[in-house]
């Protein structure tokens, strides 16, 4: 690619391996600590580079010589039906790395904007760049298991209610989902058990800076859904909203 909107340039990791290496530590602070401990996420996130370097996008800020944003994607086989859509992001990632057949579609895995660059509208550029690499690679459509970024304000609301809340202008209440919809994305369905984070309660206490004194359900800071604690183990499933972008 290498385009365009000055002073932000878009590259793939294949075009700029040096930027990809630099990007590895840029975005840690944008995620809640608990979110970095998915049980299955290391398996598929570690498969992206170098194999799919041409499908990873980087937003480079020339003015500050810094990485402003990153979009990570994974190609997978999908027949385009709801029945064949993976349950959630974990199921998608595991299918993508295990499937011996060639991929047909592209899925977003994560969009990240650096802390100092947020609220400038760069997130739309990440989605547009993902669409561009999908088109170039002949992978159709682009789907996204969207992590709705205001869901932590409504942790006990079911995702299949939250996903369809709209503002008076008809666009989604959730800001990140709104970006997708404004770019032409449509909701396919929601998933309550998309990403599994199951770990000893002591780990959860460290990640959340909370204490969980007894078995039960707990709302915790920045959690999109409650944490279930039982017999010393904390189990959390992150919900997602599947969105499709027809290319
Ligand atoms: C989600 C994320 C990619 C958005 O990137 P961004 O560049 O800050 O967002 P933008 O400036 O493009 O704004 C997108 C929309 O969100 C809104 N928004 C962004 N941050 C907001 C905030 N803190 N409060 C309220 N609204 C906010 C914007 O107003 C805009 O909506 P609008 O155009 O309808 O008004 C970024 O916050 C991020 O990296 N978050 C951490 C990782 C993550 O959760 N990624 C998404 C799941 S993969």
């Amino acid at each position: 690619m290498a385009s365009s909107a000055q002073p932000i340039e878009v590259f793939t990791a294949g075009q700029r391996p040096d930027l990809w290496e630099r990007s590895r530590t840029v975005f840690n602070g944008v995620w809640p600590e608990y979110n970095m401990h998915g049980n299955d996420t290391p398996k598929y996130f570690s498969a992206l580079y170098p194999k799919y370097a041409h499908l990873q996008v980087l937003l480079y800020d020339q003015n500050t010589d810094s990485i402003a944003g990153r979009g990570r994607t994974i190609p997978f086989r999908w027949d385009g039906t709801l029945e064949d859509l993976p349950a959630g992001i974990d199921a998608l990632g595991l299918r993508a790395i295990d499937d011996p057949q060639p991929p047909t579609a592209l899925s977003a895995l994560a969009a990240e904007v650096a802390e100092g660059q947020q609220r400038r509208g760069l997130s739309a550029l990440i989605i547009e760049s993902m669409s561009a690499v999908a088109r170039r690679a002949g992978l159709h459509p682009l789907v996204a298991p969207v992590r709705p970024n205001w869901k932590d304000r409504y942790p006990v609301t079911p995702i299949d209610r939250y996903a369809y809340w709209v503002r008076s202008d008809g666009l989604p209440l959730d800001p990140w989902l709104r970006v997708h919809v404004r770019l032409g994305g449509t909701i396919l369905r929601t998933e309550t058990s998309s990403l599994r984070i199951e770990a000893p309660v002591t780990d959860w206490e460290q990640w959340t800076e909370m204490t969980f004194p007894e078995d039960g359900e707990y709302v915790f800071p920045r959690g999109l859904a409650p944490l279930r604690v039982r017999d010393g183990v904390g189990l959390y499933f992150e919900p997602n909203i599947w969105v499709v972008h027809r290319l």
Side-chain angles (χ1 to χ4, degrees), residues 27 30-31 109-114 117-124 126 145-150 153 167 171 175-176 178-179 182 222:
F27 302 102
V30 306
W31 297 99
L109 284 179
E112 299 155 303
V113 174
Q117 302 269 11
Q118 292 191 359
R119 307 221 62 181
R120 290 180 55 197
L122 291 182
S123 66
I126 295 177
V146 171
R147 179 178 190 269
N149 69 344
W150 270 11
R153 300 180 177 204
R167 309 188 303 188
L171 289 169
W176 181 224
R178 193 158 68 237
V179 176
R182 204 180 266 128
R222 303 179 71 187

Side-chain angles (χ1 to χ4, degrees), residues 4-237:
S4 81
Q6 303 291 341
I8 301 289
E9 283 186 287
V10 181
F11 297 103
T12 67
Q15 290 168 323
R16 293 290 302 268
D18 59 317
L19 293 182
W20 177 258
E21 291 306 325
R22 279 174 61 186
S23 78
R24 289 184 189 278
T25 51
V26 170
F27 302 102
N28 291 348
V30 306
W31 297 99
E33 180 60 36
Y34 76 83
N35 205 259
M36 319 267 282
H37 300 277
N39 300 86
D40 290 326
T41 46
K43 295 174 200 157
Y44 49 91
F45 273 96
S46 64
L48 305 183
Y49 187 90
K51 190 172 184 188
Y52 301 123
H54 59 299
L55 301 172
Q56 314 309 317
V57 301
L58 295 156
L59 273 48
Y60 174 67
D61 184 336
Q62 299 173 56
N63 284 346
T64 56
D65 178 29
S66 62
I67 297 155
R70 179 171 68 172
R72 287 179 285 173
T73 70
I74 196 161
F76 74 116
R77 180 192 46 77
W78 181 41
D79 72 9
T81 66
L82 270 184
E83 294 70 36
D84 191 46
L85 188 67
I89 190 168
D90 282 344
L92 156 81
L94 296 177
R95 179 190 294 186
I97 59 172
D98 287 342
D99 199 332
Q101 297 178 51
T104 56
L106 189 67
S107 179
L109 284 179
E112 299 155 303
V113 174
E115 266 163 330
Q117 302 269 11
Q118 292 191 359
R119 307 221 62 181
R120 290 180 55 197
L122 291 182
S123 66
L125 182 56
I126 295 177
I127 300 174
E128 287 168 340
S129 305
M130 288 174 170
S131 296
V133 295
R135 248 182 248 114
R136 264 207 336 213
L139 296 165
H140 304 281
L142 173 72
V143 295
V146 171
R147 179 178 190 269
N149 69 344
W150 270 11
K151 180 69 175 70
D152 60 349
R153 300 180 177 204
Y154 307 94
V156 298
T157 301
I159 189 68
D160 59 351
R161 304 293 311 157
Y162 178 83
Y164 297 98
W165 287 353
V166 291
R167 309 188 303 188
S168 56
D169 62 2
L171 289 169
L173 178 74
D174 185 84
W176 181 224
L177 181 61
R178 193 158 68 237
V179 176
H180 280 271
V181 170
R182 204 180 266 128
L183 289 174
T186 54
I187 296 176
L188 286 172
R189 66 170 179 81
T190 59
E191 174 56 49
T192 50
S193 305
S194 187
L195 186 153
R196 183 172 61 96
I197 307 176
E198 186 172 12
V201 172
T202 45
D203 287 352
W204 274 102
E205 290 181 335
Q206 200 190 332
W207 300 336
T208 59
E209 299 180 357
M210 282 178 70
T211 302
F212 304 110
E214 58 181 65
D215 287 0
E217 288 218 329
Y218 294 89
V219 168
F220 63 97
R222 303 179 71 187
L224 308 195
L227 171 70
R228 275 176 262 160
V229 170
R230 191 164 173 184
D231 297 334
V233 174
L235 175 62
Y236 168 81
F237 278 108

